[in-house]
Amino acid sequence: MEAITNHNKKPGGLKRNSFLYKMLQQKYLYLMSIPFVIWVFVFSYLPIWGWTMAFQKFRPARSFWDQDWVGFKHFVDLFSDDRFFLVMRNTLAMSFMGLVANFTIPILFAVLLNELRHQVFKRFVQTVSYLPHFVSWVVVAGIVTKMLSIDGGVVNQMLMGLNLIDKPIQFMGEPHYFWSIVTASDIWKEMGWTTIIYLAAITGIDPEQYEAARVDGAGRWRQIWHITLPGIRTTISILLIMSIGHLIQIGFEKQFLLGNPLVIDYSEVLDLYALNNGITQNRYSFGTAISIFNSVVSIILLFVANGIFKRVTKESIM
Amino acid sequence: MTQPKRKLMSTSMSDKLFDGTNIVVMCIILIVTLYPFLNVLAISFNDSHDTVRGGLTIYPRAFTLKNYETIFAYQGLITGFYMSVLRTVVGTLFGLISGSMLAFVLARADFQARKFVSTFLALTMYVSGGLIPVYMLMRDLNLMNSFWVYVLPGLVSAFNVFVIRSFIDGLPFALQESAKIDGANDFTIYWRVILPLCKPVLATIALFLAVGQWNSWFDTYLYNGSSPSLTTLQYELTKVLQSTTNSADFRGKNITELVTSVSPESIKMAITIVVSLPILIIYPFLQRYFVKGMTLGAVKS
């Protein structure tokens, strides 16, 4: 604070190149960043201190020093809980399905968009495709439930109209459909948004390559296969590798909002498992153990991803 | 976007087939994207008793405004609307200030603590305490049942800071140097020189922040579920939508219990429209900003 009041005086006695002299010179930069550094410490780093809860028999009313320490008990409980393996299966299954869907359909969509000749139509399709990204998962879950409902849902109506089924299917109540519903909803919501990056990458491809290909008599499919797709290969692989780091961090919004008690065995993912145990049942220590497991696996996956990335591109993403 | 000149060459039969198929595929995508919204819109304007008969498509069979009148008479929705607007405005403003200020500081190559602050911030993108420790922290900080739990936890986003920083990096540094020679201090340079030039990137970030604020419901559910005066639109919608499937899990009363005379279906759809409309009206106008912002963010991170 002294730095502000003295800012007109020459900091006498300090050498021009000394650390303190420079610090005084940059006092505004410090003042503009320190509050946020403290903020980041409180909201992002203090929760990591909360990990100690996982090694205690945590009781909220007691101070840190009065807690009973139990070592790895909660982790032993976690790894011997049958539910945990079910939850891991659900998490990984939806994660992989999302990965496959997100690395095929949006890429295909971007390539096809790029092939549209009519610019106004192209712009219109793009604008519409961004639309679902901007509505919340709450809304999307409501819409999906409506579209798949047995009374008046368009999907059942269509299937009935085509005589593919005799009576409406209760999509939301059938556990085996849950993973596909989540993946499909995700694609419906984010497909257009994901294409932004791919379209930007396609724009970077040299138009002369297409020119040359056409002179050689290459049709549209061959141009896509030999120029467009190889042209965005780097973008695809970077995004693919980065998504490895997020394999088990798939969030829980979709599963929370689309799930219901009928499908819980297929909808419960790691975060929901932590939420149900930690907050609904007040098992704070157990819930924290789940969170730690989640974070540690994510970090390991991130290092793996970064390792692969370094091999491929000789650069680091971290 | 430069489109190669294809008209010079004669299009072959298979190319024509390709274009035709492509347009058909795009039309299917348009329908699949738009139909659900139009269907919801139609149901929300349809007489609730008529809706039960089913078979509604994209236009109301028995037009009425009663569904909207019913939901706007519900106090929870009024409070929710007010809170949603408030948290969007405050959260976006705070987020823009914190993000741009940190970005400005981190863009200064001569800043002594740059490496430290930058690493300290970047680590938060990879390591997080997790759901339960964060929940306990909010409790300890007395942020439960408080408006600030909507704003404070998400105040600094490392991703946003790095996007803004890469934009500032692209501005000529000579601007800052000449302002310095004119006697401006670093804060003045930030406020008077850099901030006005950052408008395009700030528009993008503002859109991301506003959408995030407007669309969040989980913080209301987790921290403010027992404070009706702090409810948000998304949370109200969550309660209504979950009332049929998951009612055991939810706290508090919901609209369908209060207004039994109206079909819950029409009410749900009317709220869905009210909740999504503000953003749907705004986003097409900001398209060029967020497309640029996404591309910038992707290239840099």
Side-chain angles (χ1 to χ4, degrees):
Chain A
M1 281 301 121
E2 218 173 320
I4 312 173
T5 47
N6 286 345
H7 86 107
N8 281 329
K9 292 183 195 165
K10 279 265 146 53
L14 287 173
K15 282 183 195 154
R16 284 206 140 249
N17 288 326
S18 79
F19 187 82
L20 275 174
Y21 178 78
K22 256 194 122 178
M23 203 166 157
L24 274 177
Q25 290 274 297
Q26 300 188 337
K27 56 185 174 283
Y28 283 101
L29 295 181
Y30 277 102
L31 286 173
M32 286 163 78
S33 53
I34 286 170
F36 299 115
V37 170
I38 295 169
W39 180 93
V40 169
F41 176 76
V42 170
F43 285 94
S44 299
Y45 286 88
L46 270 189
I48 295 171
W49 171 252
W51 284 9
T52 51
M53 275 191 295
F55 305 98
Q56 303 165 338
K57 186 172 192 253
F58 183 75
R59 292 189 191 86
R62 293 192 184 182
S63 80
F64 177 76
W65 307 106
D66 298 330
Q67 303 286 352
D68 298 326
W69 294 83
V70 295
F72 285 92
K73 178 184 172 293
H74 297 294
F75 289 93
V76 174
D77 286 353
L78 178 65
F79 295 127
S80 52
D81 185 2
D82 287 342
R83 194 84 204 156
F84 170 71
F85 294 98
L86 197 77
V87 163
M88 277 312 286
R89 179 202 68 180
N90 296 342
T91 309
L92 291 175
M94 279 183 263
S95 188
F96 275 112
M97 285 172 78
L99 203 65
V100 172
N102 271 310
F103 278 93
T104 46
I105 298 169
I107 294 170
L108 197 68
F109 182 41
V111 168
L112 289 179
L113 261 177
N114 185 57
E115 294 294 328
L116 283 178
R117 285 147 186 257
H118 199 293
Q119 290 304 301
V120 179
F121 182 63
K122 180 181 163 187
R123 185 106 7 111
F124 178 69
V125 176
Q126 269 179 285
T127 307
V128 169
S129 74
Y130 299 149
L131 190 150
H133 171 79
F134 288 97
V135 298
S136 65
W137 266 111
V138 181
V139 168
V140 173
I143 288 177
V144 168
T145 311
K146 177 72 205 148
M147 296 304 129
L148 295 177
S149 77
I150 45 170
D151 36 35
V154 66
V155 175
N156 271 318
Q157 276 178 347
M158 257 175 57
L159 292 175
M160 299 269 279
L162 294 169
N163 280 325
L164 289 172
I165 49 171
D166 301 327
K167 58 178 193 321
I169 300 172
Q170 180 99 43
F171 285 103
M172 301 308 289
E174 183 57 58
H176 289 96
Y177 291 143
F178 189 79
W179 296 346
S180 308
I181 292 173
V182 165
T183 310
S185 313
D186 204 17
I187 283 294
W188 183 76
K189 190 176 188 300
E190 303 297 342
M191 176 178 77
W193 189 250
T194 317
T195 57
I196 292 180
I197 294 170
Y198 296 118
L199 277 174
I202 292 174
T203 315
I205 299 171
D206 185 2
E208 276 180 30
Q209 290 192 39
Y210 291 101
E211 216 64 62
R214 263 191 307 280
V215 171
D216 291 346
R220 307 290 283 279
W221 278 114
R222 290 176 64 111
Q223 290 176 34
I224 291 173
W225 192 251
H226 292 290
I227 299 170
T228 313
L229 286 177
I232 59 172
R233 199 174 54 200
T234 327
T235 311
I236 296 173
S237 46
I238 292 173
L239 291 176
L240 193 63
I241 294 164
M242 286 198 327
S243 60
I244 294 174
H246 298 286
L247 261 186
I248 72 164
Q249 285 188 321
I250 58 168
F252 55 90
E253 264 193 290
K254 298 166 254 201
Q255 289 79 9
F256 186 108
L257 294 164
L258 288 166
N260 60 64
L262 290 174
V263 297
I264 186 103
D265 284 349
Y266 284 78
S267 69
E268 194 170 31
V269 287
L270 215 47
D271 275 330
L272 279 184
Y273 183 56
L275 187 72
N276 286 338
N277 278 291
I279 292 168
T280 317
Q281 301 177 35
N282 291 332
R283 295 172 71 190
Y284 300 113
S285 296
F286 189 70
T288 307
I290 302 169
S291 292
I292 294 177
F293 171 79
N294 195 339
S295 294
V296 169
V297 174
S298 302
I299 293 167
I300 293 170
L301 285 172
L302 197 80
F303 275 108
V304 171
N306 196 45
I308 302 172
F309 191 79
K310 266 184 182 163
R311 281 258 169 92
V312 178
T313 65
K314 311 270 185 290
E315 267 178 74
S316 171
I317 45 171
M318 281 167 82
Chain B
M1 298 202 183
T2 46
Q3 193 72 5
K5 286 184 195 118
R6 292 199 168 116
K7 279 175 188 150
L8 293 174
M9 304 296 295
S10 63
T11 38
S12 69
M13 194 58 202
S14 80
D15 278 5
K16 272 183 189 153
L17 190 72
F18 177 92
D19 283 330
T21 322
N22 197 2
I23 288 172
V24 172
V25 172
M26 289 300 150
C27 287
I28 293 172
I29 289 176
L30 283 179
I31 292 168
V32 171
T33 310
L34 287 177
Y35 181 85
F37 286 105
L38 295 172
N39 188 222
V40 168
L41 195 66
I43 297 172
S44 79
F45 279 112
N46 199 55
D47 181 73
S48 47
H49 301 292
D50 183 75
T51 303
V52 185
R53 280 171 48 214
L56 277 169
T57 52
I58 59 169
Y59 53 89
R61 205 161 37 207
F63 182 85
T64 177
L65 290 173
K66 201 170 154 254
N67 304 322
Y68 287 93
E69 282 167 20
T70 315
I71 60 167
F72 282 119
Y74 173 60
Q75 187 53 44
L77 206 76
I78 310 289
T79 317
F81 192 82
Y82 174 69
M83 272 298 144
S84 288
V85 170
L86 192 67
R87 69 175 289 174
T88 303
V89 171
V90 176
T92 306
L93 222 60
F94 276 47
L96 282 180
I97 293 170
S98 67
S100 59
M101 219 182 248
L102 265 178
F104 168 75
V105 172
L106 291 179
R108 283 281 296 267
D110 59 323
F111 180 45
Q112 284 172 320
R114 180 170 112 130
K115 186 86 191 156
F116 167 76
V117 177
S118 169
T119 315
F120 196 68
L121 193 64
L123 278 177
T124 64
M125 294 202 288
Y126 305 115
V127 191
S128 90
L131 212 56
I132 311 299
V134 170
Y135 176 83
M136 300 307 278
L137 178 74
M138 296 304 153
R139 236 185 42 167
D140 293 343
L141 292 174
N142 276 324
L143 284 171
M144 302 280 280
N145 298 313
S146 127
F147 172 76
W148 293 104
V149 81
Y150 296 146
V151 178
L152 290 181
L155 186 67
V156 176
S157 142
F159 178 81
N160 290 352
V161 170
F162 292 132
V163 170
I164 303 174
R165 189 187 74 181
S166 63
F167 185 88
I168 297 177
D169 281 339
L171 300 171
F173 192 66
L175 286 171
Q176 296 198 36
E177 277 175 331
S178 64
K180 192 131 225 177
I181 291 165
D182 292 344
N185 66 42
D186 287 327
F187 182 78
T188 318
I189 295 174
Y190 156 73
W191 192 251
R192 291 273 167 77
V193 181
I194 298 300
L195 215 50
L197 291 170
C198 284
K199 268 180 202 152
V201 72
L202 291 182
T204 315
I205 300 296
L207 180 76
F208 291 165
L209 287 168
V211 170
Q213 283 286 352
W214 183 264
N215 282 346
S216 41
W217 57 277
F218 188 69
D219 44 12
T220 318
Y221 165 74
L222 198 58
Y223 304 119
N224 291 343
S226 50
S227 303
S229 62
L230 291 169
T231 191
T232 51
L233 271 188
Q234 302 287 344
Y235 180 58
E236 287 302 314
L237 180 63
T238 316
K239 283 201 288 187
V240 174
L241 290 176
Q242 301 263 327
S243 60
T244 46
T245 50
N246 215 357
S247 54
D249 202 50
F250 267 78
R251 310 159 179 168
K253 280 186 287 186
N254 61 61
I255 299 179
T256 46
E257 284 168 24
L258 295 169
V259 267
T260 41
S261 63
V262 198
S263 147
E265 211 51 47
S266 300
I267 292 293
K268 281 182 192 175
M269 296 307 136
I271 301 180
T272 305
I273 293 297
V274 171
V275 166
S276 6
L277 209 59
I279 280 175
L280 296 189
I281 292 171
I282 297 168
Y283 93 89
F285 300 101
L286 292 166
Q287 192 167 334
R288 66 193 174 103
Y289 288 120
F290 66 69
V291 169
K292 246 188 211 148
M294 272 294 284
T295 318
L296 194 69
V299 170
K300 285 287 169 181
S301 69

